[in-house]
Amino acid sequence: MTIKIGRNDPCWCGSGKKYKSCHAAFDDRIKHYANLGHEVPEHSMLKKAEDVEKLKASAKINVAVLDYIEKNIKEGLDTATIDKWVYDITTDMGGIPAPLNYNGYPYSVCTSVNDQVCHGFPSKDVILKSGDIVNVDCSTILDGYFSDSSRMFLIGDVSPEKKKLVEVTKEAMYKGLEATKPWGFLGDMSQAVHDHCYANGYTVVREIGGHGVGFEFHEDPWVGYNEKAGTGMLLVPGFVFTIEPMVNMGKVEIYTDPKNDWEVYTKDHQPSAQWEIMVLVTETGTEVISW
Ligand code: MF3
Ligand code: CO
């Protein structure tokens, strides 16, 4: 059902202004792209100024958790300890770790080491050793608002090959951010990520991607990093999503551990890296909400 708003009616955004002097031009611009056949966002997925404030409050916890991990992660630490840090810091700051019980996920954080692509289970038995690369993926709920970001950590003496994988993956994420623009397309970001990774001889995981985020942990649209510029959802101010490519040193194929249906590995057991930022599209560009 579509309800037609009169030009003199109050705007749907809640500003209290008349529609014609508020979001009418914005909606016309979206409609133009929809008529050309592009996928366009629904109003309900866009974040208003007061939502953005709440997202930033949630992200403040998420960033604090990752900052703490960055300072304290080291050789000899088991990843169950990281899970405890995440739970304790998040709840002390008034938040809830979003992964805990999400679709049955049994921990507060994902810790993915070396050939683990994502969703690695923290464990007393996984002891970080020199040469490991590890992704720690944190997500927080505060006041019903979700934040989500992840970082890579190098443990001890890491080989130049693995260091480069971690660096290039981070660069690719930021190239994706640079390509993210209001009234551009999600595919512009995807292609920028893809091209940088493949130019360095890496592959980008196809089956698992990013997502809209904020009101829910995982909102539409699904965000891939192998799509073409000029395709995918139209990016408009108020749209919030994650840039979180999973980049493999070797072949692109992955598999999920049948023992728990969560932990994802590279098929060839070569290393994989991932960084994640949560990004708001603004009137003039972008703002990174969580990192
Ligand atoms: N934090 C992951 C993401 O970036 C999702 C993890 S799902 C979980 O989207 F259940 F493992 F938490
Ligand atoms: Co995410």
Side-chain angles (χ1 to χ4, degrees):
M1 186 176 70
T2 36
I3 300 167
K4 190 147 171 38
I5 313 180
R7 294 183 61 80
N8 287 311
D9 290 343
C11 187
W12 54 263
C13 80
S15 64
K17 288 193 232 164
K18 287 184 179 176
Y19 180 56
K20 66 179 177 194
S21 52
C22 195
H23 274 89
F26 176 87
D27 284 348
D28 285 346
R29 200 165 176 188
I30 291 180
K31 211 156 148 207
H32 164 77
Y33 286 101
N35 289 339
L36 292 174
H38 288 288
E39 194 185 335
V40 299
E42 304 273 330
H43 288 163
S44 63
M45 62 170 62
L46 301 180
K47 277 72 185 177
K48 305 187 173 85
E50 61 263 35
D51 297 320
V52 170
E53 287 317 302
K54 303 259 196 179
L55 290 176
K56 286 181 177 171
S58 174
K60 196 171 177 186
I61 299 177
N62 216 56
V63 170
V65 170
L66 280 163
D67 284 349
Y68 182 86
I69 294 163
E70 192 163 321
K71 282 203 189 78
N72 293 283
I73 196 166
K74 59 174 196 295
E75 194 178 335
L77 188 78
D78 67 74
T79 53
T81 302
I82 298 175
D83 189 60
K84 185 171 164 29
W85 289 345
V86 173
Y87 183 84
D88 288 349
I89 298 168
T90 305
T91 53
D92 282 353
M93 292 180 77
I96 303 166
L100 195 55
N101 303 318
Y102 176 78
N103 290 342
Y105 187 80
Y107 301 99
S108 297
V109 66
C110 302
T111 52
S112 306
V113 185
N114 298 329
D115 64 335
Q116 280 186 321
V117 173
C118 65
H119 305 160
F121 282 3
S123 165
K124 278 265 164 249
D125 300 328
V126 177
I127 296 166
L128 298 174
K129 56 183 193 307
S130 183
D132 284 347
I133 58 170
V134 53
N135 171 276
V136 180
D137 192 339
C138 288
S139 316
T140 300
I141 315 171
L142 181 71
D143 215 358
Y145 285 81
F146 290 74
S147 52
D148 187 13
S149 53
S150 81
R151 300 182 198 167
M152 292 297 295
F153 302 106
L154 306 174
I155 308 299
D157 228 350
V158 173
S159 71
E161 291 77 17
K162 282 166 103 177
K163 260 191 195 154
K164 185 180 169 201
L165 174 70
V166 170
E167 264 324 293
V168 168
T169 303
K170 190 179 191 179
E171 287 164 12
M173 176 181 73
Y174 281 112
K175 293 211 179 258
L177 178 66
E178 276 169 39
T180 302
K181 300 216 159 54
W183 309 105
F185 298 95
L186 203 48
D188 306 347
M189 177 283 302
S190 309
Q191 179 153 8
V193 170
H194 170 99
D195 288 357
H196 190 61
C197 296
Y198 280 78
N200 281 278
Y202 302 140
T203 59
V204 180
V205 170
R206 298 174 298 211
E207 299 88 335
I208 315 173
H211 48 94
V213 59
F215 301 137
E216 304 286 345
F217 195 171
H218 295 139
E219 298 172 6
D220 285 340
W222 183 81
V223 178
Y225 307 98
N226 288 294
E227 337 300 312
K228 291 273 171 245
T231 71
M233 188 174 280
L234 176 72
L235 300 173
V236 305
F239 180 61
V240 181
F241 71 108
T242 66
I243 306 181
E244 52 173 315
M246 296 166 198
V247 181
N248 296 349
M249 189 182 284
K251 296 215 168 78
V252 74
E253 286 81 14
I254 56 170
Y255 71 92
T256 304
D257 188 342
K259 287 204 290 292
N260 55 40
D261 261 342
W262 273 109
E263 293 179 295
V264 178
Y265 292 84
T266 56
K267 211 167 190 176
D268 62 9
H269 292 290
Q270 289 211 60
S272 185
Q274 179 185 26
W275 290 82
E276 175 177 18
I277 48 176
M278 172 174 162
V279 178
L280 165 72
V281 179
T282 66
E283 297 285 340
T284 52
T286 55
E287 186 176 353
V288 178
I289 302 289
S290 189
W291 58 92

